[in-house]
Amino acid sequence: MRKARAASTICIDHGPSFPFAAPCRAVGCLRREYFCQDEAAGSFILAKILRGEAEGRGAEPLHHAPKADAPASAWDDYLHNRDNPAGVTQDLWFHEQGCASWLKVTRNTVTHEILAVEAVAGGAA
Amino acid sequence: MRYSGFKVLTQGLFGNRGWKPAWRDPAPKAEYDAIIIGGGGHGLSTAYYLAKNHGLTNIAVLEKGYLGSGNIGRNTTIVRANYFLPGNSEFYSHSLKLWEGLESELNYNVMHSQRGLINLFHSDGQRDAFARRGNAMINQGDDAILLDRDGVRELLPYLDYDNTRFPIYGGLLHPRGGTARHDAVAWGYARAADRRGVDLIQNCEVTGIDVQNGRVTGVQTTRGAIRAKKVGIVVAGRSSQVAAMAGLRLPIESHILQAFVTEGLKPVIDHVISFGMGHFYISQSDKGGLVFGGDLDFYASYASRGNLPMVEHVMEAGMTLMPMIGRARVLRSWGGIMDMSPDGSPIIDRTPIEGLYLDCGWNYGGFKAVPASGWCMAHLMATGESHEVARRFTLNRFAKGHLIDEEGTGSQHNLH
């Protein structure tokens, strides 16, 4: 259903000067695709969905899971509660339909500004 | 001043010089019996029912902007009671009953229009699920009619019945579902609460919540400190920030839900139509604009606007369902900040702080809940006990595993 975008597409929020820190080398994967070009809802999946997988692959966990013997309250807090900041936040994104990279994105939830994008440990799968 | 057709007529004859402001603009007092933070639909209805049902009139609603400046004026206005799970079912049923008497209750025209809501289905399995949902609705005392393909075609002849990916097998009709004029709901509750003595204080942002020895004692605001032994947080969209003032960390993540409206057209869509497989729903406002929307943008955001991928997806889904709307021009789009909870259901509960109450987590279903949310929040704040129809909307249900996951998508904020 979704189509690959032309290379000339620019980020609707930030224009061509979108600051990327971690260029993706995959064929057809443009740097600006990292966050907000086209598939924010599709090819990039917030790592909160897939964090178990990320950690299993040796990626740097942004959300530190409690130890297996931690009390139930610690697991409840980890699974359900959120700081939910209105401002700068960090989350882990997975370039699902592209180069399969895990990216740590520092962004502003109010302005949609991207402050930094880094490949997490392990890089592309 | 009581509103009536006669009043409109006589005011019209005499130059409309006799209308008065619908509510006062009081300065905050030093102390109230109860404070409601948030002057949106839920906060205003909470204040109204606190005054009306429980006789508490020394109360204030604190709003950081103007009344109704949040999601109550930024939604797609759908009113329905087609839920399946215990918890949601009785709550929304109660809400719909309140909607049906709301205009005479408030002496305000909220333009509640029970035009019928149709949820389309596209497979045998989905039909069975919808039949089951319809039976649950009927068991709850609400109405549901299972339409086959011809039944849908009779009501909605303009849909694309040749679609092979999502062939229309039929639909679940909820005749009492419909829409209402969203701003009028806020204004109606505001005026009715004001008439019962509630102070509606605008441009008054809460900057701190005072807690001593585990009890709430009042709030700090941009218009000074105000004392109160009971404080209700009713600020969906900003719940995490306000709760954080009391040291609470909530099971809420904020997400963007986009909606769209076209130029005004002659009447063409008589119902509310929901095309779940395409994440698309549509109705036509009384002004003639087609009002439609889709799914979340999926990443946590407070931007009040979304990104283009979801715009494209919604337009594609709309064209897939009803190609006739292709020539309609979209006038505007917007994004609302949704309090997403891990199970897609709301929270109306006490907090660990004595006297501090929480009404949040409305996901994208808050508009239809406005009357019952206020009713139950008022009951909670006045009596200290959860109302019967809201007793499952607890803050600790995630820890206990008593989720109310209507869509069955799992304990994840952005999946509902």
Side-chain angles (χ1 to χ4, degrees):
Chain A
M1 197 169 184
R2 294 178 182 280
K3 300 178 286 289
R5 295 313 138 103
S8 60
T9 310
I10 59 168
C11 168
I12 59 162
D13 278 346
H14 308 103
S17 61
F18 188 60
F20 287 104
C24 175
R25 307 291 181 202
V27 175
C29 178
L30 302 169
R31 292 171 64 165
R32 59 180 156 272
E33 278 187 358
Y34 268 137
F35 189 71
C36 51
Q37 185 220 350
D38 67 338
E39 303 277 296
S43 89
F44 292 92
I45 293 190
L46 257 183
K48 284 166 190 166
I49 305 171
L50 296 167
R51 61 182 168 248
E53 208 176 321
E55 287 152 18
R57 293 182 191 190
E60 177 190 349
L62 280 178
H63 305 276
H64 297 277
K67 291 198 168 64
D69 58 353
S73 60
W75 279 98
D76 171 44
D77 190 56
Y78 167 69
L79 289 171
H80 303 123
N81 294 339
R82 297 285 183 268
D83 290 336
N84 197 23
V88 176
T89 192
Q90 280 193 330
D91 32 36
L92 201 57
W93 292 69
F94 179 51
H95 195 185
E96 186 194 35
Q97 294 169 22
C99 62
S101 285
W102 287 93
L103 304 168
K104 184 166 80 174
V105 178
T106 307
R107 63 188 181 97
N108 188 314
T109 58
V110 178
T111 62
H112 283 175
E113 186 181 6
I114 308 294
L115 302 167
V117 181
E118 308 161 50
V120 296
Chain B
M1 179 191 290
R2 195 175 161 74
Y3 294 160
S4 66
F6 180 71
K7 205 78 176 175
V8 171
L9 184 69
T10 51
Q11 284 294 328
L13 288 174
F14 298 103
N16 284 311
R17 284 188 293 268
W19 298 113
K20 294 185 172 58
W23 49 80
R24 298 166 294 129
D25 185 22
K29 291 193 261 183
E31 180 164 9
Y32 289 95
D33 293 339
I35 284 173
I36 294 145
I37 305 173
H42 293 245
L44 293 167
S45 71
T46 300
Y48 172 72
Y49 291 117
L50 269 173
K52 188 197 174 215
N53 294 356
H54 305 283
L56 261 73
T57 53
N58 183 31
I59 60 177
V61 175
L62 309 182
E63 166 55 47
K64 76 172 175 182
Y66 57 91
L67 296 180
S69 53
N71 286 343
I72 185 70
R74 296 167 59 79
N75 59 74
T76 49
T77 78
I78 294 167
V79 175
R80 59 187 168 90
N82 59 348
Y83 283 76
F84 177 73
L85 292 178
N88 284 332
S89 188
E90 62 266 33
F91 177 82
Y92 290 104
S93 179
H94 182 60
S95 203
L96 184 54
K97 289 185 191 108
L98 293 175
W99 275 106
E100 287 169 337
L102 199 59
E103 288 167 343
S104 55
E105 172 81 26
L106 300 180
N107 179 227
Y108 207 91
N109 183 8
V110 302
M111 298 169 72
H112 183 213
S113 161
Q114 294 183 291
R115 57 187 66 183
L117 178 146
I118 298 168
N119 286 89
L120 299 171
F121 53 80
H122 311 275
S123 67
D124 289 338
Q126 216 186 356
R127 177 181 54 220
D128 292 349
F130 274 47
R132 189 167 176 234
R133 175 178 294 270
N135 286 334
M137 290 158 65
I138 290 167
N139 284 344
Q140 180 58 45
D142 297 317
D143 59 348
I145 300 169
L146 196 67
L147 301 173
D148 61 10
R149 181 182 166 91
D150 289 338
V152 173
R153 195 190 276 264
E154 199 171 309
L155 293 176
L156 313 175
Y158 44 78
L159 301 185
D160 179 2
Y161 290 87
D162 299 324
N163 186 313
T164 51
R165 177 65 185 87
F166 296 116
I168 294 170
Y169 273 44
L172 185 64
L173 170 64
H174 173 36
R176 284 165 65 216
T179 62
R181 171 82 204 281
H182 50 11
D183 298 308
V185 177
W187 299 334
Y189 272 115
R191 173 169 166 272
D194 177 86
R195 279 155 60 104
R196 288 181 177 270
V198 176
D199 280 0
L200 308 176
I201 301 167
Q202 306 180 67
N203 299 311
C204 181
E205 182 173 355
V206 170
T207 54
I209 297 175
D210 299 329
V211 179
Q212 283 176 6
N213 302 323
R215 283 196 63 93
V216 72
T217 58
V219 295
Q220 301 291 324
T221 78
T222 51
R223 296 177 68 174
I226 308 173
R227 293 189 305 277
K229 290 190 175 64
K230 291 182 177 181
V231 175
I233 299 175
V234 194
V235 295
R238 290 279 168 176
S239 299
S240 296
Q241 279 75 48
V242 177
M245 293 175 192
L248 301 175
R249 187 165 180 260
L250 298 183
I252 298 289
E253 198 169 85
S254 298
H255 284 266
I256 293 299
L257 185 70
Q258 298 194 65
F260 310 85
V261 63
T262 70
E263 60 194 332
L265 304 169
K266 289 185 177 178
V268 59
I269 296 176
D270 299 331
H271 307 80
V272 181
I273 303 165
S274 171
F275 172 37
M277 296 309 287
H279 311 120
F280 177 84
Y281 62 97
I282 188 167
S283 66
Q284 187 169 17
S285 78
D286 290 341
K287 279 193 296 187
L290 304 182
V291 182
F292 55 98
D295 217 335
L296 294 178
D297 271 31
F298 285 119
Y299 46 90
S301 169
Y302 287 88
S304 295
R305 62 187 168 79
N307 268 317
L308 288 176
M310 190 49 72
V311 177
E312 183 182 31
H313 179 62
V314 170
M315 300 301 162
E316 282 175 353
M319 288 299 292
T320 299
L321 181 67
M322 44 176 79
M324 72 168 183
I325 65 173
R327 301 290 289 273
R329 282 167 290 195
V330 174
L331 277 190
R332 61 183 182 273
S333 70
W334 67 96
I337 305 171
M338 306 289 115
D339 259 22
M340 297 303 295
S341 70
D343 62 356
S345 295
I347 295 161
I348 304 177
D349 201 1
R350 290 173 292 270
T351 67
I353 296 163
E354 186 78 20
L356 185 65
Y357 304 89
L358 194 59
D359 179 307
C360 69
W362 290 100
N363 298 276
Y364 31 76
F367 179 67
K368 62 183 166 296
V370 163
S373 168
W375 183 283
C376 296
M377 183 65 170
H379 185 276
L380 177 68
M381 288 182 70
T383 67
E385 298 296 323
S386 291
H387 188 274
E388 187 188 6
V389 300
R391 66 188 167 81
R392 292 176 195 255
F393 294 157
T394 55
L395 181 57
N396 67 358
R397 69 176 182 269
F398 309 103
K400 295 191 166 187
H402 294 163
L403 304 188
I404 312 171
D405 186 353
E406 191 78 25
E407 294 188 14
T409 43
S411 185
Q412 187 76 44
H413 304 75
N414 59 351
L415 295 185
H416 297 282

